[in-house]
Amino acid sequence: QMQLQESGPGLVKPSETLSLTCTVSGGSISLADVYWGWVRQAPGRGLEWIASIDYTGRKSSNPSLRSRVSISVVTSKNEFSLRLRSVTAADTSVYYCARHDDLHFMDVWGTGITVTVSS
Amino acid sequence: QSVLTQPLSASGTPGQRVTISCSGSTSNIGSNFVYWYQQFPGTAPKLLIYRNTERPSGVPDRFSASKSGTSASLAISGLRAEDEADYFCAVFDDGHDNLSRRWMFGGGTRLTVL
């Protein structure tokens, strides 16, 4: 059964770059018609899609975050990563990685990682 | 602020049927499939409904959904205490050009079982 696991620092200073990695186990990241995405949830708030990428590097991102977001994939490690630049307190959230496809949208999720932006 | 509008809260007693609405526009619900997620505090969302009305294996048939025009709804029949959770709708928004296309989630509805 496929599992996803987020990793990265839980605390980032304002104006710095948030970097997270999602490791995929129990299956290959190199699947046709499958995307790998990031979603975040601020405390007590709803869900916000950040960006998605497939194994070829084809990517898409939320227009509201696009200027600060980078997403990448390393197929040899079966992992994909997120970088969010120039963070502020508003970026404090639980960050989830997830698998999605055209049929199910996001059907397999990581457990989430809490990232706090604070000096 | 989400452009997919859900009620902040909903409630019902055990055994009742409750519905949760998700209101959008022609560029999202009116044009694309709707998905529904269930989330318990401190856990990741779980897919409940895909492509408007379909249930993944393992999701009880007490959960059903529909879509009409620019609105969608999730129905839970035979309400149980274990259904108390947050529920989110999700849909792709076509935007006004290629650069404004994005996936969107509703603001979420907290379901309370009284």
Side-chain angles (χ1 to χ4, degrees), chain A residues 12-70:
Chain A
V12 182
K13 289 182 168 54
S15 80
E16 294 191 346
T17 297
L18 179 161
S19 296
L20 298 174
T21 295
C22 181
T23 302
V24 179
S25 60
S28 174
I29 203 170
S30 301
L31 296 172
D33 302 322
V34 173
Y35 282 81
W36 307 93
W38 291 95
V39 171
R40 69 180 183 178
Q41 186 171 32
R45 304 292 295 276
L47 301 164
E48 180 180 33
W49 172 68
I50 302 171
S52 299
I53 191 168
D54 74 2
Y55 79 100
T56 69
R58 180 178 173 183
K59 62 189 80 169
S60 58
S61 59
N62 192 320
S64 67
L65 297 168
R66 188 168 295 148
S67 64
R68 298 193 292 131
V69 165
S70 297

Side-chain angles (χ1 to χ4, degrees), chain B residues 20-112:
Chain B
I20 296 170
S21 62
C22 176
S23 178
S25 67
T26 54
S27 65
N28 43 68
I29 294 179
S31 306
N32 298 301
F33 292 116
V34 178
Y35 303 81
W36 288 92
Y37 291 86
Q38 177 190 57
Q39 184 182 35
F40 297 105
T43 69
K46 170 191 171 185
L47 179 66
L48 270 186
I49 298 287
Y50 66 96
R51 291 203 165 185
N52 299 334
T53 60
E54 303 300 311
R55 282 187 310 277
S57 60
V59 173
D61 59 6
R62 301 186 298 105
F63 294 89
S64 63
S66 62
K67 187 183 98 166
S68 178
T70 59
S71 293
S73 63
L74 173 72
I76 308 170
S77 59
L79 196 63
R80 298 182 178 184
E82 67 211 48
D83 299 330
E84 189 164 288
D86 294 326
Y87 293 85
F88 296 89
C89 57
V91 68
F92 190 75
D93 188 281
D94 292 333
H96 57 270
D97 58 31
N98 281 339
L99 291 179
S100 59
R101 294 157 61 90
R102 62 181 173 131
W103 284 100
M104 299 169 40
F105 291 90
T109 299
R110 172 67 55 88
L111 175 64
T112 301

